[in-house]
Structure formats: C-alpha cells, structure tokens
Amino acid sequence: MRIAIASGKGGTGKTTAATNLAYYLAKCENKRVTLIDCDVEEPNSHIFLQPTWQENKKVTVPIPAIDHDKCAGCGKCSEVCQFGAIACIKGKVITFPELCHSCGACMVLCPNQAIYEDNREIGELEAGNQGNIQLLHGKLKIGEAMAPPLIRAVNEYNTNDEIIIIDSPPGTSCPVINAIKDCDFVLLITEPTPFGLNDLKLAVEMVRELQLPLAVGVNRSTIGNQELWTYCRKENIPIILEIPYDREIAESYSHGHLLLEKLPHYVPHFAQLYKYLREEVSS
C-alpha cells in the first residue's frame, strides 16, 4: 500500500497527517512503515520522528561534457537541446549544467561522438529508523533548480515495507507529480479557507489527470465556512479526516512533537483514516 499525502498549497498540514499516520501504524497497528519525505527543498518529517540516521549518499544526474578535440562545432547538439543547456557560439560549444534535463539527445545525435557523460551532484539521500518506522528523505542542494531527479531517487530507494507513506511537496507542479504518480491512493490535505479551497481544486484536477483515487482531509476544520464541504459533495469526493482547530495541536507542533504522542485522544481519527485507506486500496 503506497499512500501519498499531498495538497495544493503549503502549510495545510501534510506533514502532520503523514508523520502521525506513520506513528499510528507503527505503534497501534504494529506495522512496519516507510515514510518518504519528498519535499526535498525543505524536508521536515525528521523533526517529529527523530530517526537514527544510518545511510547518507550523494545523488547525481548525468550531464554532457565536451571533448573539444573531437568537436567540429557543427551546432547539432545546440539544435536538439530543448532546454537551452547547450549553446554553440562561433563553433565553440558551451554547456549550462543547471539547465540540463539529462535526456541524452545531444550525446546520441553528435555526429563526431564528441559529447560524453559526466555527473553533477544535486543533493543527498538520507535513510534512518525510529522503531518500526523507516524514514527516507532527500535534501536538494541550495540553488538547485530541479527537484524531480532527487525525488525519483528517493522514491526508488529499495524498501520491503508493506506500507509506504509519501509526504509530497506542496503545489501541483512537476515535483508533486513525480512524488505521487506511482501511488495507490492520494489523500489531499486542505483547510476551509478561500485559498485552501482554490488550491484544493487545482490538486483534484491534477490527481484526476493521473487517474488516481483520492479523498480529502481537512485540517483546522472548525474555522472558515462550509464552501469546502459543498465542493466535495458536488464533486463526490469523500472527506475521511477532520482535525479541528486546537491550540494544543499548534503548541505541540511548534515544539516538534507528534500530535498522537501529546494528544492521544486523536488516535481514533487516524484509526478511521487507516481503515478507510486499507479498504479502498484492497478493493
């Protein structure tokens, strides 16, 4: 069972839902769980789970390098590059590694085999454990523009756990799609505000385009108005988790504590969530 926790915007409570669901499964259901934090620009699940890190490895992507002794300056590589990562100026080839998408077209089509593959580091992958929870996350290098290659590397890390939870990046762009595309189910976390509803609609369109089953979880459910519930009824989207606005939740979060550790009366919320997910995925 591979479950993605996503949202159309940041700050809705994705990490709260992901870390506490993992904690519930490990502590209350005695399951082995892998939590993958795919928000590689600023991963924060480790703040709440406090794992013991066991592995750290660099993640690289292939980029073109030029053998100027073989290069004839024909400009074919510049013509085929769709991302502006290679330019040919007065017969001299210049590369821009930060723009390269590692498609390999320039190497394949170079008539003189003057382009060979080099590697560029884009970030690192860390793996650790906290009890029955394995935590994986990627950390993108500062200034790096493209998160998807690192997200793919983290998602492809070998794990044998039967339940995998993806804490996806916010939004609806390429990083999110790379994080959730291979999941069995997507839980969209939102809040009952105009911004929350607007971005939820965008996220629903994205998930439906990927043809993945989905449901909604509402954080701070006791604020705002009823437009969110009206929209979900109209679109036939089930709301399977509601966490009320509670100062104690905010205080525990601000101190880096798990909700279910400090406020165990919320355990039934996550028990109901897991029951729904299990039934939906199995069906």
Side-chain angles (χ1 to χ4, degrees):
M1 184 164 66
R2 196 177 183 96
I3 304 298
I5 313 292
S7 70
K9 64 185 284 292
T12 57
K14 284 189 291 68
T15 298
T16 296
T19 53
N20 282 281
L21 178 58
Y23 176 85
Y24 168 79
L25 291 170
K27 296 293 184 180
C28 302
E29 300 285 342
N30 197 30
K31 301 283 189 181
R32 277 287 307 173
V33 185
T34 293
L35 174 58
I36 305 178
D37 192 341
C38 287
D39 191 0
V40 297
E41 293 184 55
E42 196 59 53
N44 64 346
S45 294
H46 64 284
I47 295 173
F48 303 95
L49 295 176
Q50 294 292 310
T52 300
W53 296 114
Q54 298 172 325
E55 184 177 354
N56 180 296
K57 68 176 184 178
K58 306 299 182 184
V59 177
T60 62
V61 292
I63 59 170
I66 311 300
D67 184 340
H68 292 285
D69 293 332
K70 293 182 178 180
C71 179
C74 66
K76 184 68 174 177
C77 54
S78 177
E79 293 175 15
V80 301
C81 182
Q82 299 297 302
F83 307 104
I86 301 183
C88 186
I89 303 173
K90 295 183 178 180
K92 184 175 178 62
V93 175
I94 303 171
T95 64
F96 303 93
E98 293 80 6
L99 299 177
C100 179
H101 284 56
S102 305
C103 69
C106 57
M107 284 178 270
V108 172
L109 296 175
C110 177
N112 298 315
Q113 288 78 51
I115 301 177
Y116 60 95
E117 186 177 286
D118 199 359
N119 289 308
R120 182 172 68 87
E121 182 184 331
I122 60 169
E124 59 184 12
L125 181 155
E126 291 185 314
N129 284 281
Q130 175 57 267
N132 277 346
I133 303 173
Q134 179 186 47
L135 177 63
L136 309 173
H137 72 196
K139 296 169 70 175
L140 196 67
K141 286 183 67 175
I142 294 174
E144 188 63 45
M146 290 189 295
L150 181 54
I151 291 172
R152 286 195 294 270
V154 176
N155 263 333
E156 290 167 3
Y157 186 90
N158 186 36
T159 177
N160 296 319
D161 291 339
E162 61 179 293
I163 302 177
I164 299 173
I165 300 170
I166 308 291
D167 185 1
S168 79
T172 56
S173 58
C174 293
V176 185
I177 292 170
N178 276 271
I180 73 172
K181 63 180 181 177
D182 295 322
C183 290
D184 300 308
F185 196 90
V186 181
L187 175 63
L188 296 174
I189 304 297
T190 188
E191 55 192 8
T193 64
F195 282 123
L197 178 56
N198 176 75
D199 293 332
L200 174 64
K201 292 177 180 179
L202 297 175
V204 167
E205 290 179 15
M206 172 193 68
V207 176
R208 285 177 170 170
E209 188 69 24
L210 294 172
Q211 298 182 345
L212 296 173
L214 69 122
V216 165
V218 185
N219 192 22
R220 295 181 282 272
S221 61
T222 51
I223 64 172
N225 53 43
Q226 294 298 307
E227 290 184 18
L228 171 63
W229 283 266
T230 301
Y231 166 77
C232 289
R233 282 194 299 269
K234 180 181 176 182
E235 294 293 323
N236 197 28
I237 301 172
I239 296 175
I240 60 174
L241 176 68
E242 293 189 33
I243 300 175
Y245 178 75
D246 186 335
R247 182 183 176 89
E248 288 185 298
I249 295 176
E251 288 178 352
S252 67
Y253 185 90
S254 67
H255 287 95
H257 297 147
L258 286 166
L259 165 63
L260 297 187
E261 276 188 320
K262 293 297 179 181
L263 302 170
H265 57 274
Y266 284 106
V267 165
H269 290 67
F270 287 86
Q272 182 180 353
L273 170 62
Y274 172 57
K275 180 182 177 183
Y276 181 92
L277 294 173
R278 184 183 59 203
E279 291 174 352
E280 284 296 306
V281 171
S282 64
S283 65

